Amino acid sequence: MRKFLFLLFVLFLYVSAFAQLEVKPGSFKEVHGFVNINDDPNYQTDDNDLPYAVIKVRTENITDKQRRELRFESNLAVGIVLEYHTGEVWVYLTAKYADYLKISHPDFGVYEYTLPFDLQPKKGYEMALVYKAYAPAAPVKDIYNFLIITADQPNATIYVDDVYVGESGEQGVYKSFRAGEKHKWRIECELYHSESGEATIPVKEGENITVEKRLRPAFGYLNITSSPENGAVVFIDGKKVGQTPFKSDRLASGEHRVRVMKEMFSAAEKTFTVTDGNTTQAPMTMAANFVSVNITTDSNSDIYVDNEKKGTGTWNGRLSDGPHSLEARKASHKSAIKNVQLTLGTTENIVIPDPEPIYGTLEVVSNPIGANIIIDGKSFGTTPRVLGNVLIGTHELRLEKTGCTPVIKNFTLDDKNKLSINEKLPTGKEISISTDKSGDRIYVDGSYIGVSPLTSTLSFGEHEITAIRGYDGDGTNGLNAIKGISGVKATAKTITVAQTGGESSVKLTFSENKTFTVNGVSFEMIAVKGGTFTMGATAEQGSDADDDEKPTHSVTLSDYYIGKFEVTQELWQAVMGNNPSYYKGNNLPVEQVRWNDVQEFIRKLNQKTGANFRLPTEAEWEYAARGGNKSRGYKYSGGSNINDVAWYTSTTNDSGTKPVGTKSPNELGVYDMSGNVWEWCQDWYGNYSSGSQTNPTGPSSGLIRVVRGGSWGSDARSCWVSNRSIDNPVSRNFYCGFRLVLVP
């Protein structure tokens, strides 16, 4: 194989020395006014939608057949398409990344040409490619051939004339000598016998001499077993190597000392002789040094031998001969102990007596009486009661009575003192009541109880909570009378106070925002007052905004509501009954949802709520992200310091989505419109126009949908409020979610 490679290398040198491809100096230049004239889209942009430039390569001294065999390559990121014309090859290549052209032909070799300047997209260039031939050089007079030495072991060391020349490897060792010379060679390798000899270099030019050797092993193996049991630790020549049964790695031929050891057996040691290429059987016999015992006791008691736990209820094992202490232990019981004397060569069946229970005295009283007493899930009658059959230790007590909240507490009982427990069972529950502004007057079932925020104990059952704002009286007037006073606002909510579970707090709000609840999951929609704004790459967005953010244009929108947060996995689960997200968490934004999946979610949500939810239009999304009519002209949604308002690649370190609402909100109180996840919009993607628009909805059809806002894996630029991006409506990605819009 090495000889073939060498001849191939010589042939390549011959071709390269006498003929070559060359770009004619000074021939590379731009052709002004020349653009791509092939209308096929494949000749316009590469697979990443980056535009091509085209180079007309004129060929000289190259036939038509040879021209079609030319191959063109460039940088790794450069796409290339070829188009053949008479006397020319048109090379379409990605303008942005092309630095050089590598031109190859199976007969003419390879030529690399560095482009003299950066190519521009959709521009045309030309150059001349020439094939030249040269006269061969004069032949060399002296004749040298190769001595090639190989061995079947790749780490064999090879010497020629007692001089180290290398290791054999896959191809062996090659060294050239003058024809007719004689040279001594030697091959050495650990755990193999050395080989040596003499070779005469052939006198005919191009003939080599090869020495191939299969080395003879100077090693063998040991196959070590132990009886009466395997699993013994094995030592060879004092070094721990494994457990029986054990086959050794290669060992140098000769004597080796084997030792095996196992608990409850006497160690065994013996010498074995290893011979070249053979496996020597090494059986080892160990003497038993234990007594077999079978111990039983109460099935729930732990068995200890010499203060070491062995099992529960029963244990079969081995013990050394002599005295041992056996014990059965059980919580809240007096341990049972049995001392034994064991003798080698016997099998012992031993029974430990059951541990004795230890009881304490417990008195249980409740208000009201008649509550069921449940200790560790077991019923002990009703209160009041004195119990004498409760084990000492720590227990859980549960008192239950219809119409009362159950009381659960832990207690610890000993065998020396009576323990008394007296508990009051609540007939109601504390409820925290608040509003979106402190100081509002609070009424429960029409009765004034104070101002918000406050906590009050309400009886079990249904109650109407009412908050009044704008009233300066003392609160004694009837609730209906207060509601009728000019300037007074009222809001109310009905709650159910349950003995177990249910609501423990209630918040009433006077804001224009709306809150919806689906299957126990609530979400808030923020009111957005309509208005007129400039959409697109406004001044604060930066001078390097993308082309599709331009031109800026005036947009007028009507009132609408937008989600305070991106739709969470908890809300998606409540509506759809599943969770497609890659990063799991109730308060994380849902992702891996297609645009079409979102439409199905909205359809079901509208059925459950009777509302008219949908995705935001691109204009509605940008207006809300800018802060609506409260906008302060920030670069990002909520501020110009992105770290305050957005989860993006610098703050997440590419670690996935974050819980919604953990960064600062924008001027409207809306969170995460910059970063966390890209958000689907209703619109098909299209170019902006400069004319004024009212409630625009984007193109009427298309292939790709708009996504906005950037994500946890985006750079800062993607999080600008004017930045636009796209996605296929059938794509699912772990960086793309959505938020809702509600039409009034």
Side-chain angles (χ1 to χ4, degrees), residues 99-101 111-117:
D99 293 329
Y100 71 95
L101 268 184
Y111 175 76
E112 287 193 6
Y113 177 69
T114 301
L115 299 176
F117 47 80

Side-chain angles (χ1 to χ4, degrees), residues 484-725:
I485 298 175
S486 176
V488 172
K489 295 182 179 179
T491 184
K493 185 175 183 180
T494 299
I495 67 168
T496 298
V497 180
Q499 293 185 36
T500 58
E503 297 175 274
S504 60
S505 64
V506 59
K507 183 173 182 178
L508 296 93
T509 178
F510 291 86
S511 72
E512 297 177 356
N513 300 334
K514 293 181 180 293
T515 299
F516 296 82
T517 301
V518 177
N519 291 334
V521 178
S522 297
F523 61 101
E524 188 174 356
M525 302 296 294
I526 302 298
V528 181
K529 186 69 175 176
T532 300
F533 76 109
T534 300
M535 185 173 179
T538 48
E540 80 283 354
Q541 298 300 295
S543 59
D544 56 341
D546 293 332
D547 290 342
D548 67 348
E549 299 173 43
K550 305 170 185 176
T552 58
H553 52 286
S554 177
V555 173
T556 301
L557 296 175
S558 302
D559 295 349
Y560 60 100
Y561 296 84
I562 196 163
K564 183 176 183 178
F565 305 115
E566 292 156 332
V567 170
T568 63
Q569 295 175 30
E570 183 180 39
L571 179 56
W572 182 278
Q573 180 80 30
V575 174
M576 302 296 286
N578 59 55
N579 185 357
S581 302
Y582 180 83
Y583 300 100
K584 301 292 186 183
N586 281 347
N587 206 34
L588 295 177
V590 69
E591 20 86 3
Q592 292 204 140
V593 287
R594 301 175 301 185
W595 189 92
N596 295 332
D597 296 333
V598 175
Q599 302 309 307
E600 179 63 14
F601 169 90
I602 291 173
R603 184 185 66 79
K604 291 185 177 182
L605 179 64
N606 289 341
Q607 287 179 345
K608 293 177 182 293
T609 61
N612 186 19
F613 292 99
R614 60 168 169 77
L615 285 174
T617 65
E618 191 177 11
E620 288 169 340
W621 190 97
E622 184 169 325
Y623 182 59
R626 289 176 176 271
N629 62 359
K630 300 178 182 179
S631 176
R632 298 176 184 171
Y634 294 135
K635 190 181 194 74
Y636 308 98
S637 184
S640 292
N641 184 347
I642 188 172
N643 293 318
D644 293 338
V645 298
W647 292 111
Y648 71 115
T649 185
S650 291
T651 54
T652 64
N653 197 24
D654 287 343
S655 61
T657 58
K658 301 297 181 183
V660 299
T662 50
K663 289 287 187 176
S664 298
N666 72 1
E667 300 92 320
L668 294 173
V670 181
Y671 293 81
D672 299 314
M673 294 196 80
S674 288
N676 215 1
V677 289
W678 287 98
E679 297 177 18
W680 286 112
C681 289
Q682 187 71 18
D683 305 28
W684 292 107
Y685 176 79
N687 294 327
Y688 285 166
S689 63
S690 59
S692 298
Q693 298 177 335
T694 299
N695 294 324
T697 57
S700 59
S701 62
L703 297 175
I704 47 179
R705 297 282 184 178
V706 175
V707 291
R708 284 296 207 111
S711 75
W712 57 267
S714 299
D715 58 13
R717 178 172 181 164
S718 298
C719 298
W720 295 353
V721 294
S722 67
N723 183 267
R724 309 173 72 202
S725 193

Side-chain angles (χ1 to χ4, degrees), residues 204-222:
K204 185 177 180 180
E205 183 176 1
E207 285 191 0
N208 301 318
I209 184 168
T210 300
V211 177
E212 296 180 339
K213 283 295 178 180
R214 185 177 183 85
L215 301 184
R216 295 170 292 127
F219 61 85
Y221 304 88
L222 284 176

Side-chain angles (χ1 to χ4, degrees), residues 140-144 178 205:
V140 178
K141 293 182 179 179
D142 291 337
I143 297 175
Y144 285 83
R178 190 182 303 275
E205 183 176 1

Side-chain angles (χ1 to χ4, degrees), residues 281-301:
Q281 300 300 319
M284 305 291 290
T285 302
M286 304 177 296
N289 190 27
F290 59 83
V291 179
S292 295
V293 295
N294 303 310
I295 303 174
T296 59
T297 187
D298 169 61
S299 61
N300 294 317
S301 297

Side-chain angles (χ1 to χ4, degrees), residues 149 151 153-160 163-169 173 185-190 194-195 215:
I149 305 174
Q153 299 302 315
N155 58 341
T157 304
I158 298 175
Y159 299 83
V160 176
V163 177
Y164 170 79
V165 292
E167 293 188 350
S168 57
V173 172
W185 57 265
R186 185 174 77 256
I187 304 174
E188 295 183 354
C189 186
E190 185 179 7
S194 296
E195 303 287 346
L215 301 184

